Amino acid sequence: SAIRFLHDHLQRDLTMTELASYVGYSPKQLNRLFRQAVGTTPLQYLQRIRMHTASLLLREHPHMTVREIAAHIGMEPVYFTRLFRRAYGVTPSSYKIRERP
């Protein structure tokens, strides 16, 4: 249910306390159980699905700006660009150009 919650609330600024409260565990217990099941923390998982969603949006909706995509996944544009570059090795703008059909 934590994974579903993260996917359903991708654009929100979530805290571990909020997520833990939703699934009925303490933040520490949720972190431990999530790491056992998924291999990463909930917040790292959220960041990964945000980057994946952004990459899909960049490919499938080239008319969207980087700012619009950042807003769609709940991130500030500058921070989004930094994380995207770290994850994919290029800026979102370069990725969009490179992935054009």
Side-chain angles (χ1 to χ4, degrees), residues 22-81:
Y22 176 79
V23 296
Y25 289 107
S26 71
K28 187 175 180 177
Q29 179 73 350
L30 172 62
N31 208 28
R32 187 180 69 75
L33 292 171
F34 199 95
R35 189 182 284 271
Q36 281 178 347
V38 182
T40 187
T41 68
L43 296 181
Q44 289 169 335
Y45 182 83
L46 177 60
Q47 189 175 40
R48 190 180 326 146
I49 61 174
R50 282 178 168 165
M51 292 300 105
H52 178 71
T53 300
S55 72
L56 292 175
L57 289 171
L58 287 164
R59 273 186 273 142
E60 296 172 7
H61 300 280
H63 63 280
M64 289 181 77
T65 66
V66 171
R67 182 175 298 277
E68 290 170 331
I69 291 171
H72 184 80
I73 62 170
M75 299 181 85
E76 292 294 320
V78 173
Y79 185 59
F80 161 64
T81 299

Side-chain angles (χ1 to χ4, degrees), residues 14 56 61 82 99:
L14 295 172
L56 292 175
H61 300 280
R82 187 179 320 133
E99 295 297 319

